[in-house]
Amino acid sequence: MSDKKSSTKKTDSVRSLKADSKKSEKKRSGSQSSDSSTKDRKGKGPADAPAAAAPSSSSSSIPVAAASSSSSSSSSAAADPSSALSHLKLLSPDLRELTDVQFMFPEGSHFAHTWVLEQRSPKLNTAVQAGKVRKQKRGKHIIHHYSVEFGDAKVKKVLGGYEVGYTTLKHVLDYVYGDSLDVTKIVPLALLDLYVAASAFGINRLAHQAKSQLNQCLNNENVFVLLKQADVLKQDPIRSMCMEYAHFNVRELIKMKQAAEDLGIVLFHQVAKLSLEPVPESRTPAEACPPSTYVDDFKRLYELTVQKPDQHMQFITCKAKQIRFHSPILAAASPKLTRLLGKELEEDLSKPLMDITPLQVASVHTLLKYLYYGEFEKSPLASIELSPACKMLEMEGLVTLTEENIKANVNATTVLDILLITFLPYNLPRQDMKDLKQSCLDFICSHWTEVNFDVLQAMDRQITQAILKAWQAQCKAQGQ
């Protein structure tokens, strides 16, 4: 009996699908051609959802069918969220117009953003505020542009008299924006400068990495040079580290007359006294490296766009709601947005951005969370809307992530929306999308009574026809 009921329901559903398909054909009978009429067709979807465009229409105007509101939405950070971030790209020459800080040196200039420095290195940002200011109007706000010279008395005062060099600041900014720096490629004296700068700027993890690498590369040829420089700069941790090395190797070191002369009488006398003291059994244990604050810092920056908007942020209006963000974050993540926003100083970016890809409020926030601090929304329905948008924005990494999430979450609630993705123009030639399409059709045929076909009214008739063909093929294979 249950098989008969299931068969009856299935037959009724097929008749309904055929009827809908015929109605669609009649509505379009007056069109000049199938291709031209397809571009103009749009069905009505659920409330607040854009209609799904036909597969033959331009990809720049394809909004995705809305997802079911009953679907659960769970988000989680990736195993290594920082690997998804691209904030080092904020320093690229293409986005220089969007910076508000210029560090000036005889060798050239480095550029940065006060809103990044404020989260990543408040002490460096304080030094920036002591620089020269140029004001520029943007919308209702006045933007301050800072020119900083580390030889300037006000700036040096903030940093306790320390003057940062061109190359050292380049290393610091690379770490601030990228959270990594290959310290093994930096020579010892430059490592000492990096340690001093990182300490002065309160970047404790970078200071630890510089100090650790300096400890590893200490040898008889450089220890006196580093000891003397650390003494001049009043860097007691590095000075103590060099003295400890000298204690373990004092008999060889005191024989190096020229090096001893370069060290100076006072310091050499202190080293020589070590030969009268017993050598410790082991070196001082290395300190634990402070944890990275990279993800937390940029997460805090994202949260400020919601809680405390300021003059550094732009906005788009989506569903009558303003969503604020830092446009360089978006521009750094998308080559298309780099070209569009690289010189964009307007406050309201609704038209240039929403013209590219219309999104719902929740999807915009999902995108921003991923771009700011690497958190990816695991809901397949969020991926369904974001996938074509990211394709249009040339965010290839996020395209892959959303597509993989979609493939792993085909079920009765999501299958039709996922099937729609496979019919988008840029996906039609792709073999992986063809495989996904077949998987969706197989799932629909095997879970016919569980799938809600009402949403097909908002989709192109080609999708309905594909489902009917798949069902007919299954019936033929089963001899029905």
Side-chain angles (χ1 to χ4, degrees):
M1 291 294 291
S2 60
D3 291 340
K4 289 183 178 180
K5 288 181 180 179
S6 176
S7 178
T8 302
K9 288 182 180 179
K10 199 170 189 179
T11 304
D12 291 342
S13 298
V14 173
R15 287 173 179 167
S16 177
L17 289 179
K18 288 181 177 179
D20 289 342
S21 182
K22 288 180 180 179
K23 288 179 182 179
S24 298
E25 290 289 351
K26 289 180 180 179
K27 288 180 181 178
R28 299 182 185 95
S29 61
S31 302
Q32 293 180 352
S33 67
S34 177
D35 290 338
S36 61
S37 64
T38 301
K39 292 181 180 179
D40 296 328
R41 287 197 303 270
K42 289 186 180 180
K44 294 182 180 180
D48 296 331
S56 60
S57 64
S58 168
S59 63
S60 63
S61 61
I62 298 179
V64 181
S68 170
S69 60
S70 63
S71 184
S72 62
S73 174
S74 62
S75 65
S76 68
D80 181 14
S82 63
S83 65
L85 304 182
S86 57
H87 298 317
L88 195 59
K89 296 178 185 177
L90 291 169
L91 300 177
S92 67
D94 292 340
L95 300 178
R96 190 161 292 169
E97 292 289 334
L98 301 180
T99 62
D100 61 350
V101 183
Q102 181 179 8
F103 297 100
M104 303 173 68
F105 298 88
E107 303 94 322
S109 294
H110 296 308
F111 297 84
H113 311 78
T114 53
W115 43 272
V116 173
L117 300 182
E118 184 178 6
Q119 302 304 320
R120 294 286 286 150
S121 176
K123 289 185 178 179
L124 177 53
N125 193 49
T126 300
V128 167
Q129 307 298 320
K132 297 177 182 177
V133 183
R134 173 174 59 87
K135 297 181 180 181
Q136 180 178 3
K137 188 173 182 180
R138 184 176 66 193
K140 300 177 181 179
H141 301 288
I142 300 296
I143 305 299
H144 292 176
H145 292 264
Y146 295 91
S147 298
V148 182
E149 295 182 47
F150 284 102
D152 182 270
K154 292 182 180 179
V155 178
K156 287 180 71 174
K157 184 178 180 181
V158 171
L159 298 177
Y162 180 68
E163 188 171 339
V164 184
Y166 177 83
T167 302
T168 300
L169 185 67
K170 174 67 166 61
H171 291 324
V172 169
L173 291 177
D174 284 349
Y175 179 84
V176 165
Y177 282 80
D179 201 46
S180 64
L181 186 68
D182 189 354
V183 293
T184 63
K185 295 182 178 179
I186 303 176
V187 299
L189 276 174
L191 279 172
L192 176 55
D193 287 337
L194 179 60
Y195 169 81
V196 177
S199 299
F201 298 150
I203 310 174
N204 298 330
R205 188 164 178 262
L206 179 59
H208 177 274
Q209 291 176 358
K211 181 183 176 183
S212 296
Q213 179 58 27
L214 197 56
N215 193 23
Q216 292 181 34
C217 65
L218 278 177
N219 56 47
N220 290 356
E221 283 69 39
N222 64 30
V223 64
F224 281 172
V225 175
L226 291 168
L227 174 58
K228 183 175 182 178
Q229 187 65 8
D231 189 67
V232 170
L233 296 174
K234 296 181 174 57
Q235 296 299 312
D236 291 339
I238 305 300
R239 187 182 186 281
S240 298
M241 186 175 71
C242 292
M243 290 295 285
E244 183 179 66
Y245 176 90
H247 197 176
F248 276 87
N249 301 274
V250 67
R251 296 188 183 281
E252 293 83 8
L253 292 173
I254 59 177
K255 296 176 184 178
M256 302 169 62
K257 294 183 179 180
Q258 184 58 49
E261 291 176 5
D262 293 339
L263 185 60
I265 297 175
V266 176
L267 281 177
F268 182 73
H269 180 66
Q270 293 177 10
V271 172
K273 283 176 61 178
L274 294 174
S275 63
L276 304 176
E277 300 177 9
V279 178
E281 293 183 2
S282 61
R283 300 280 295 272
T284 302
E287 298 174 354
C289 183
S292 170
T293 62
Y294 191 55
V295 172
D296 290 341
D297 292 341
F298 279 97
K299 182 176 182 179
R300 188 165 56 250
L301 188 61
Y302 164 76
E303 291 170 348
L304 286 174
T305 66
V306 179
Q307 301 167 2
K308 191 179 177 182
D310 63 28
Q311 69 271 19
H312 299 297
M313 302 174 193
Q314 289 74 36
F315 68 84
I316 59 173
T317 302
C318 182
K319 300 294 181 183
K321 181 177 180 180
Q322 276 192 5
I323 302 176
R324 291 197 168 265
F325 54 89
H326 300 87
S327 64
I329 296 283
L330 271 70
S334 162
K336 189 165 189 174
L337 292 180
T338 298
R339 297 189 291 272
L340 177 67
L341 302 177
K343 295 184 178 181
E344 183 62 68
L345 296 176
E346 295 300 318
E347 186 181 17
D348 186 352
L349 299 179
S350 300
K351 180 168 176 52
L353 287 181
M354 297 305 280
D355 279 355
I356 294 176
T357 173
L359 291 172
Q360 298 184 71
V361 173
S363 296
V364 175
H365 281 296
T366 296
L367 177 62
L368 291 176
K369 287 177 183 178
Y370 179 80
L371 296 182
Y372 271 84
Y373 59 96
E375 181 176 285
F376 178 64
E377 177 65 59
K378 288 296 185 71
S379 165
L381 300 183
S383 292
I384 287 168
E385 180 166 84
L386 279 179
S387 183
C390 294
K391 188 73 176 180
M392 292 177 225
L393 295 174
E394 301 174 21
M395 296 178 178
E396 296 304 326
L398 193 50
V399 169
T400 301
L401 206 56
T402 53
E403 288 179 350
E404 289 176 352
N405 191 42
I406 289 170
K407 293 175 186 177
N409 287 281
V410 176
N411 57 51
T413 303
T414 64
V415 65
L416 290 176
D417 288 315
I418 293 175
L419 184 60
L420 173 63
I421 294 291
T422 68
F423 277 86
L424 296 177
Y426 50 78
N427 283 334
L428 292 176
R430 294 173 49 182
Q431 186 57 47
D432 61 329
M433 287 293 111
K434 291 178 182 178
D435 295 341
L436 178 59
K437 179 189 298 183
Q438 190 58 51
S439 296
C440 289
L441 293 172
D442 291 343
F443 181 91
I444 290 170
C445 290
S446 60
H447 298 77
W448 194 271
T449 58
E450 300 171 29
V451 177
N452 179 11
F453 291 103
D454 292 344
V455 295
L456 280 176
Q457 297 176 11
M459 298 183 182
D460 186 78
R461 63 185 174 85
Q462 293 184 40
I463 299 176
T464 302
Q465 291 172 346
I467 294 173
L468 287 172
K469 287 180 181 179
W471 180 83
Q472 289 167 352
Q474 186 191 68
C475 290
K476 185 176 180 180
Q478 295 175 352
Q480 296 181 3

